Amino acid sequence: MQQQHRIIVLGAGYSGATAAGRLAKRLRREDVAITLVNAEPDFVERVRMHQLAVGQELTPRPFSEMFAGTGVALKYAKVTGIDADLKHVTVVDAEGAEDGVEELPYDTLVYALGSGWNSQGVPGTAEHAHEIAGRPGALRLRERLAGLDAGQQVLVIGGGLTGVEAATEFAEARPDLDIALAVRSGLGDTLSPKGRGHLRKVLDKLGITVHEHTAVTEVAAGHVTTADGTSLPASVTVWTAGFAVHPIAEATTLKVSDTGQIAVDATMRSLSHPDVYAIGDAALVAGPGDKPLRMSCASGVPTAWQAADAIAARLTGTKLPKTSLRYFNQCISLGRKEGLIQYVTADDRAVSTALTGRFAAAYKELVCKGAAWGVAHPTLGLPARRRPVVRPEQQPQVAVAANAEA
């Protein structure tokens, strides 16, 4: 009897969980053993961490329920190392027990460990700032915000989507607090004039103070210092100025970029190790115009589709599909009652069209719910045919198809 092909997926965020489920839909269970490794036992809706931070309760999504009946084995553990040459992953019990260290051999590895907050090397950030890049950080901030008295200052650093969503959520949920947003350039300078105007209107309505063209050079208890020496008060500082990938890949023999992302081809396959695929924030992926895809759910899910379908195609000797890796819009929540949908070009540049107001807020909520639904329905609810794995010598040369099928 032919041994099962061992596929290990590291990380169960939007991209990793989607890839694991999609692989299970593409391949026969008797031919493959798919293991999804994650430190937490339930799915984290990362796009909702600002909501969690202000005390809103999120829908529980246990992996045991999401993957019930799929054949995907769940391994709750932390990844501590990867040997890409000997083809095994080292993990430790999720609680960190010393006797919980284990080596997991693989035939194909899908690396989806994602990203975390990026302090940008600014002094004092790690000691004095909060982050909402994941659930532990959001929960710590939640406790801190709950303990603030009326009139205390919350300063959000970073004018990207995460920073804007955080500042508006905080201001709407806690109108008694003094909320401020510090951005390195101009507020909403990547948006269209309509989008920029609506953003300013909402922030003004919520009473948010905006410090434009403000680079923070140091974070301390109770204040931050800017590049021109100005001190801005902050009972709580929330740092949202970018993301950094998990450092494990950089410690391996995998080819990585200056950012620590794994260099991949158009099928998400590692350029240095053909048995490794990288997806989501962990991968350096060329999008339209050869511009690297930004770290986001909008980028991560299509890369998961591409990797899963490419792995399945190579194992089953079928045609390699190609998923469209492009952008359509940027969906921004501005609290629970306001939103902004900025339409963009394929390479993520704003066009003049934008949706605003309550309709945009409802649109964003639908996108968030759809993204979570998609993790549990990785072929988008369409029927999928599980194909048998064929031996390498039986596999024909395959070409990339024009489009991927769901």
Side-chain angles (χ1 to χ4, degrees):
M1 182 178 177
Q2 185 176 348
Q3 182 180 356
Q4 284 182 306
H5 187 92
R6 299 163 299 184
I7 302 175
I8 293 180
V9 181
L10 302 182
Y14 289 99
S15 57
T18 297
R22 198 168 176 98
L23 284 165
K25 292 279 190 178
R26 296 288 191 239
L27 301 167
R28 294 197 317 185
R29 295 182 191 178
E30 57 265 39
D31 294 338
V32 295
I34 303 171
T35 303
L36 179 59
V37 180
N38 198 61
E40 298 185 71
D42 53 352
F43 179 66
V44 176
E45 292 187 82
R46 192 174 179 184
V47 295
R48 294 188 186 276
M49 290 301 95
H50 52 288
Q51 295 176 240
L52 185 63
V54 296
Q56 296 174 31
E57 297 300 329
L58 305 184
T59 302
R61 301 182 187 276
F63 288 124
S64 59
E65 295 180 8
M66 295 177 75
F67 286 96
T70 64
V72 174
L74 301 172
K75 181 77 174 179
Y76 303 127
K78 296 178 182 178
V79 180
T80 58
I82 299 170
D83 192 319
D85 300 319
L86 295 180
K87 297 173 64 173
H88 66 74
V89 176
T90 303
V91 301
V92 63
D93 176 273
E95 301 300 323
E98 291 185 8
D99 59 352
V101 178
E102 186 177 357
E103 286 188 355
L104 306 177
Y106 65 83
D107 297 304
T108 298
L109 179 70
V110 181
Y111 185 104
L113 290 180
S115 63
W117 76 318
N118 186 359
S119 69
Q120 308 285 357
V122 173
T125 304
E127 297 84 359
H128 302 292
H130 286 265
E131 51 90 8
I132 53 172
R135 180 160 51 192
L139 290 174
R140 285 191 292 270
L141 177 58
R142 175 176 179 156
E143 183 177 359
R144 182 72 180 94
L145 292 177
L148 292 181
D149 295 325
Q152 289 190 276
Q153 305 93 357
V154 176
L155 177 62
V156 179
I157 310 296
L161 305 190
T162 304
V164 167
E165 290 192 329
T168 51
E169 198 75 49
F170 300 164
E172 182 184 88
R174 291 291 306 273
D176 59 317
L177 297 177
D178 180 5
I179 310 296
L181 177 65
V183 301
R184 181 179 288 272
S185 54
L187 177 66
D189 61 355
T190 62
L191 302 173
S192 66
K194 179 179 179 180
R196 199 158 48 243
H198 184 70
L199 178 60
R200 288 185 181 278
K201 184 177 87 170
V202 173
L203 266 63
D204 287 344
K205 181 179 178 181
L206 291 172
I208 298 172
T209 301
V210 180
H211 303 282
E212 296 185 81
H213 307 290
T214 300
V216 173
T217 55
E218 185 176 1
V219 180
H223 73 278
V224 305
T225 303
T226 68
D228 64 2
T230 301
S231 178
L232 301 178
S235 305
V236 174
T237 299
V238 183
W239 190 273
T240 69
F243 297 99
V245 298
H246 199 292
I248 284 183
E250 200 165 17
T252 70
T253 54
L254 291 164
K255 182 177 181 180
V256 299
S257 66
D258 293 341
T259 60
Q261 294 170 293
I262 297 173
V264 297
D265 65 14
T267 68
M268 306 302 117
R269 198 179 202 179
S270 164
L271 296 182
S272 60
H273 293 73
D275 299 308
V276 176
Y277 291 73
I279 56 179
D281 292 355
L284 181 65
V285 181
D290 287 330
K291 289 173 58 176
L293 297 183
R294 59 180 163 88
M295 295 183 185
S296 66
C297 177
S299 305
V301 172
T303 63
W305 292 343
Q306 176 64 76
D309 291 354
I311 292 168
R314 288 186 169 113
L315 289 177
T316 60
T318 54
K319 185 181 293 185
L320 277 173
K322 182 180 180 181
T323 297
S324 176
L325 301 175
R326 57 152 298 160
Y327 297 101
F328 296 94
N329 52 44
Q330 295 178 7
C331 302
I332 311 167
S333 66
L334 303 173
R336 297 299 88 206
K337 301 175 184 177
E338 279 280 359
L340 170 61
I341 309 301
Q342 175 63 66
Y343 289 95
V344 297
T345 59
D347 62 351
D348 209 28
R349 291 175 291 114
V351 298
S352 59
T353 308
L355 300 178
T356 61
R358 287 185 177 271
F359 182 78
Y363 187 119
K364 172 62 188 291
E365 178 62 20
L366 184 63
V367 168
C368 292
K369 288 181 177 178
W373 179 88
V375 172
H377 302 82
T379 54
L380 306 182
L382 298 176
R385 177 182 175 185
R386 292 184 174 89
R387 297 180 181 274
V389 171
V390 299
R391 295 180 183 277
E393 62 270 17
Q394 297 174 309
Q395 295 179 7
Q397 294 295 317
V398 293
V400 178
N403 292 290
E405 298 178 356

